[in-house]
Amino acid sequence: MDLVKERISDRRVHKLLRQWLKAGVMEDGTVKETLAGTPQGGVISPLLSNIYLHYLDRIWQNQCSHIGKLVRYADDLVILCSNESKAREAHRRLNIVVGRLGLKLHPVKTRIVNISRGKDSFEFLGCTIRKRRSIQRMPHCHFVQRWPSPKAMKRITQRVHELTKASRSGVQDVKTLIGSLNPVLRGWGNYFRTGNADDQFNYIDRYVYERLCRWLARRGGQRCAVRLANWPPQRLYAIGLHRLQGRVTYPTHATPVRLSLSRVREIRTHGLKGGAGTGPTSAPRQ
């Protein structure tokens, strides 16, 4: 609350935040009182975590930035260091700063990881981050890549399983079922598409198709063998099923730099649109 008062002076906002902090948490129909900290799972918890840990950001930026780069989201953070000695010093200083806030680092999740030349990996914000060789570009170098973690893969497959389970056999038609699947697939795909998730996206596409085939088989009964032959993947995509394959957007720094082939100087329009060629350099060739 002291950190909030540094930026907000409205007492009504202060009162509302205090009520949030004292409201408690409901688990399995039972309300549990919150003795300290922010309520786990509360919609306000990430915001309050960012406000409270902003003190850590300021201390690290002013006094420890030469040791490593701090990347933080709410109460999850990673410190990127150039060598092991700096990593151990960062771990020591992080313990000190966090201790001033009355917090403790998680004993299991907090660890020093060596990702050089693909030796190890770590998970951050649902992604597995690891270094891999780029065989086509520079085989002797390793580049940082990220893709959905096993926990994230398990979560999306469980959600697809729930939407296509036997109890939903009473859904009117496959288009209605696809309509309930698409928001889940689109949201999950948009979160993980900026990375190296081709294999994971292809796996989810196959899993969704298999689940839809099982749903169609339950609907068809004894005629399932005949019905499934009429439902190839292309037909499901044609009626609106969201496809993850081909939607990965690689980070800019991981793609080779190519010179632009735009013809703006030549024809005064964008190279992809073409034009009539009215510029001074657009005279016909002899």
Side-chain angles (χ1 to χ4, degrees), residues 209 213 215-232 235:
Y209 176 68
C213 286
W215 184 86
L216 291 169
R218 289 193 295 266
R219 296 271 295 181
Q222 296 180 354
R223 299 170 296 171
C224 63
V226 178
R227 284 181 174 271
L228 292 181
N230 297 328
W231 287 98
R235 183 178 178 184

Side-chain angles (χ1 to χ4, degrees), residues 11 53 77 105-106 111 116 139 237 270:
R11 294 183 179 179
L53 291 175
L77 61 91
L105 298 178
H106 197 286
R111 59 193 182 103
S116 62
Y237 297 135
H270 195 278

Side-chain angles (χ1 to χ4, degrees), residues 16-66:
L16 181 61
L17 288 177
R18 288 193 185 95
Q19 291 175 343
W20 251 315
L21 292 172
K22 297 179 181 179
V25 180
M26 178 176 290
E27 296 181 358
D28 299 329
T30 305
V31 178
K32 296 184 178 180
E33 184 180 357
T34 302
L35 301 178
T38 59
Q40 288 292 329
V43 294
I44 198 67
S45 296
L47 175 60
L48 296 178
S49 297
N50 279 327
I51 294 174
Y52 194 62
L53 291 175
H54 184 63
Y55 173 81
L56 169 63
D57 299 340
R58 289 186 293 184
I59 294 296
W60 197 269
Q61 181 66 28
N62 296 332
Q63 303 180 14
C64 309
S65 59
H66 62 283

Side-chain angles (χ1 to χ4, degrees), residues 1 6-7 11 15 26 29 78 112 130 132 138 152 177 181 230 233 265 268-269 271:
M1 292 302 303
E6 292 181 4
R7 300 293 297 272
R11 294 183 179 179
K15 181 180 179 180
M26 178 176 290
V78 172
I112 297 177
R130 192 184 190 99
R132 284 181 172 178
M138 301 175 66
L177 185 60
L181 283 170
N230 297 328
R265 290 179 57 83
R268 295 295 191 270
T269 59

Side-chain angles (χ1 to χ4, degrees), residues 59-85:
I59 294 296
W60 197 269
Q61 181 66 28
N62 296 332
Q63 303 180 14
C64 309
S65 59
H66 62 283
I67 299 177
K69 182 177 179 58
L70 174 67
V71 181
R72 185 183 64 81
Y73 179 82
D75 59 347
D76 292 330
L77 61 91
V78 172
I79 301 177
L80 308 175
C81 303
S82 58
N83 53 55
E84 185 178 355
S85 61

Side-chain angles (χ1 to χ4, degrees), residues 150-170:
K151 186 176 180 180
M153 294 291 293
K154 183 179 179 180
R155 187 175 302 168
I156 185 63
T157 53
Q158 287 179 345
R159 182 57 179 158
V160 172
H161 187 276
E162 291 176 0
L163 294 174
T164 57
K165 58 185 178 181
S167 60
R168 290 180 57 88
S169 299

